[in-house]
């Protein structure tokens, strides 16, 4: 069995590759439209409606709309299809997963005193998968930049003696030492040097700090990039709400959040360029993230006559405590004296970084709904979320690296408006549903990520104390995908599809 050592590093040392950045903050701040089949079928436009277990994720006052204690459980089939374009080479990646979308219950306690203004109060709990990270992305094409430039740039300024093995010292020993004292950039430089990708400009000077690449920069480079991710972001909600008179509903949520994220990215590069002594590189980076967080929500719903409902809710920022682990592996093929050699640099080290903190943005939602008796309804939700307020912090506070990251986030991201519209039409026990969803890009530069557009369809059948519901949602979004170490990016268009089946019952 391969021996793996563990190295504990300060979070500020994560200067390149797998470092915390705006992409990570956005990943843990975003939420997919996820809940019961009825909730999904209306594109999540439930802020003023309530009466669905998943509606409390939008407005905690929604549980007070229930007339009877109820429960629901939902299973989903999520499909993610990505079409990537990299220097006119098209690739397609598809990932399908079966997940527990949500599970929850609402307990209704009616006040027997009909003269009281407090008509009822409710307690609810709900589990919801707010984000599914499972994905497979393949990018292929012939680029104009080499990974050799990445390793050369990482090495500049680092004394040669730090990259050379001393008598009796192993690759693992020196890799660990560099991580403890110099940071990730030095570890990357060490990999590049030991893999013969880079050489010192003055090989006889141990104080040399300038390096050259053994991969000729003039020519083309065949790139195959594989990005595999898995995990989820989950929210567990304890909800308390009450109905005051026949017009007002108020509620509060206490939410705990959990992050479980794993990423493996591998770049294969080959070239036949004149002057290259290294013609094949395989560079692998692995990342594992665990996190726990807390947030709260406050909301109210007001009935205007019997047909119109207005809703307003506020979600606080979520405060996370996060730990990360990384590992790296490098393999190269080089030519020397007319012979081909395979060089493997495997430190067998897991870098464990100090815990850091992440604050994701809060959200405000205003909602309106019109009820056409017992036959139909329409509903609209508007939400605002300021992604420029994402903030990283260290245990000690005022960390220079995190301050720089937060400044970049503030300048790169913006406040985002989103709209959700849904409708339902009932024919006896059968309900037909549909909805639309729109969300602005969180980036000031919309070429990095475009707006998200989607629609939803669904149907439900009421069996009295039981109901069966089915929904289909589809959304599309374009983005640019960075390939670490390269200035080239791929254009990726992703289609998110989700089929959810729910069983609900009253008790």
């Amino acid at each position: 069995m391969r021996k793996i050592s563990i190295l504990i590093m300060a979070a500020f040392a994560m200067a390149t590759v797998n470092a915390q950045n705006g992409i990570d903050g956005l990943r843990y701040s975003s939420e997919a439209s996820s809940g019961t089949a009825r909730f999904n079928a209306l594109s999540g436009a439930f802020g003023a409606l309530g009466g669905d277990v998943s509606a409390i994720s939008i407005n905690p006052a929604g549980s007070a709309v229930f007339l009877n204690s109820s429960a629901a459980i939902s299973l989903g089939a999520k499909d993610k299809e990505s079409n990537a374009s990299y220097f006119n080479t098209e690739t397609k990646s598809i990932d399908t997963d079966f997940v527990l979308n949500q599970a929850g219950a609402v307990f209704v306690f009616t006040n027997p005193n009909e003269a009281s203004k407090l008509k009822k109060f409710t307690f609810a709990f709900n589990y919801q998968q707010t984000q599914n990270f499972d994905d497979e992305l393949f990018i292929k094409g012939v680029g104009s930049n080499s990974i050799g430039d990445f390793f050369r740039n990482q090495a500049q300024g680092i004394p040669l003696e730090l990259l050379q093995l001393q008598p009796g010292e192993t690759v693992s020993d020196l890799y660990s030492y560099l991580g403890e004292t110099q940071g990730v950039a030095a570890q990357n430089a060490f990999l590049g040097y030991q893999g013969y990708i880079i050489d010192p400009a003055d090989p006889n000077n141990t104080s040399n700090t300038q390096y050259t690449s053994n991969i000729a920069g003039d020519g083309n480079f065949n790139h195959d990039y594989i990005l595999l991710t898995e995990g989820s972001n989950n929210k567990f909600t304890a909800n308390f709400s009450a109905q005051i008179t026949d017009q007002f509903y108020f509620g509060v949520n206490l939410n705990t959040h959990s992050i479980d994220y794993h990423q493996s990215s591998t770049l294969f590069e080959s070239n036949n360029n004149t002057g290259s002594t290294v013609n094949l590189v395989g560079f692998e980076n692995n990342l594992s993230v665990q996190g726990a967080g807390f947030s709260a929500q406050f909301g109210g719903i007001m009935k205007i006559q019997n047909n119109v409902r207005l809703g307003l809710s506020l979600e606080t920022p979520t405060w996370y405590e996060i730990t990360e682990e990384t590992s790296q592996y490098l393999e190269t093929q080089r030519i020397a004296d007319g012979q081909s050699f395979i060089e493997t640099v495997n430190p067998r080290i897991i870098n464990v970084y100090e815990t850091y903190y992440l604050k994701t943005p809060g959200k405000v939602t205003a909602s309106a709904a019109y009820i056409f008796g017992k036959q139909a309804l329409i509903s609209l939700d508007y939400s605002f979320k300021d992604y420029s307020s994402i903030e990283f912090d260290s245990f000690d506070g005022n960390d220079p690296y995190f301050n720089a990251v937060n400044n970049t986030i503030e300048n790169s991201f913006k406040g985002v408006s989103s709209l959700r519209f849904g409708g339902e039409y009932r024919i006896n026990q059968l309900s037909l549903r549909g909805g639309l969803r729109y969300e602005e890009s969180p980036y000031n530069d919309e070429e990095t990520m475009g707006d998200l557009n989607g629609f939803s369809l669904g149907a439900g059948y009421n069996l009295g104390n039981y109901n069966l519901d089915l929904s289909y949602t589809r959304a599309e979004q374009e983005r640019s995908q960075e390939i670490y170490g390269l200035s080239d990016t791929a254009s990726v268009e992703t289609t998110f599809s989700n089929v959810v089946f729910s069983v609900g019952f009253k008790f």
Side-chain angles (χ1 to χ4, degrees), residues 328-374:
Q328 295 180 296
Y329 174 88
L330 178 71
E331 185 172 298
T332 63
Q333 178 178 285
R334 67 186 181 96
I335 305 298
D337 300 325
Q339 293 184 318
S340 177
F341 298 89
I342 300 296
E343 305 292 343
T344 299
V345 189
N346 186 1
R348 297 184 173 88
I349 293 291
I350 295 177
N351 298 316
V352 180
Y353 297 92
E354 289 184 351
T355 298
Y356 67 90
Y357 302 100
L358 172 66
K359 185 187 76 173
T360 64
K363 182 173 68 173
V364 60
T365 301
S367 312
Y370 191 89
I371 314 297
F372 298 88
K374 295 183 178 181

Side-chain angles (χ1 to χ4, degrees), residues 197-405:
I197 296 176
I198 59 173
D199 274 335
D202 184 359
N204 298 317
N205 180 9
T206 57
S207 299
N208 171 86
T209 58
Q210 298 299 310
Y211 297 84
T212 60
S213 173
N214 290 321
I215 302 175
D218 294 330
N220 295 321
F221 303 92
N222 300 306
H223 291 141
D224 290 87
Y225 180 70
I226 304 171
L227 178 63
L228 305 177
T229 60
E230 62 179 20
S232 60
N233 195 335
N234 305 306
K235 181 165 73 173
F236 303 84
T237 298
N239 167 268
F240 307 88
S241 67
Q243 179 184 351
I244 309 298
T245 70
D246 292 329
Q247 288 183 287
F248 300 100
Y249 306 84
F250 301 97
V252 60
N253 288 345
L254 301 178
N255 307 310
T256 59
H257 305 255
S258 65
I259 295 173
D260 180 29
Y261 178 75
H262 305 275
Q263 173 182 298
S264 178
S265 55
T266 305
L267 174 66
F268 296 98
E269 177 182 290
S270 63
N271 76 91
N272 294 311
N273 298 336
T274 302
S276 288
T277 59
V278 174
N279 51 32
L280 182 63
V281 177
F283 186 35
E284 177 184 303
N285 282 267
N286 300 301
L287 169 67
S288 179
V289 182
Q290 299 290 326
F294 173 81
S295 69
Q297 292 170 272
F298 308 89
I301 297 175
M302 179 176 65
K303 279 186 178 181
I304 301 178
Q305 299 177 347
N306 291 324
N307 302 102
V308 180
R309 295 181 187 176
L310 301 178
L312 182 66
S313 62
L314 172 66
E315 182 173 357
T316 69
T318 301
W319 292 273
Y320 284 105
E321 184 175 292
I322 297 177
T323 58
E324 293 188 354
E325 298 177 359
T326 66
S327 62
Q328 295 180 296
Y329 174 88
L330 178 71
E331 185 172 298
T332 63
Q333 178 178 285
R334 67 186 181 96
I335 305 298
D337 300 325
Q339 293 184 318
S340 177
F341 298 89
I342 300 296
E343 305 292 343
T344 299
V345 189
N346 186 1
R348 297 184 173 88
I349 293 291
I350 295 177
N351 298 316
V352 180
Y353 297 92
E354 289 184 351
T355 298
Y356 67 90
Y357 302 100
L358 172 66
K359 185 187 76 173
T360 64
K363 182 173 68 173
V364 60
T365 301
S367 312
Y370 191 89
I371 314 297
F372 298 88
K374 295 183 178 181
Q375 189 173 25
L377 60 85
I378 55 174
S379 181
L380 176 67
D381 285 6
Y382 167 81
S383 297
F384 182 82
K385 193 172 186 177
D386 187 4
Y387 286 95
S388 68
S389 66
I390 294 172
E391 186 174 305
F392 290 91
D393 199 3
S394 63
F395 180 79
D396 297 329
N398 198 33
D399 185 279
Y401 172 71
F402 285 132
N403 289 341
V405 171

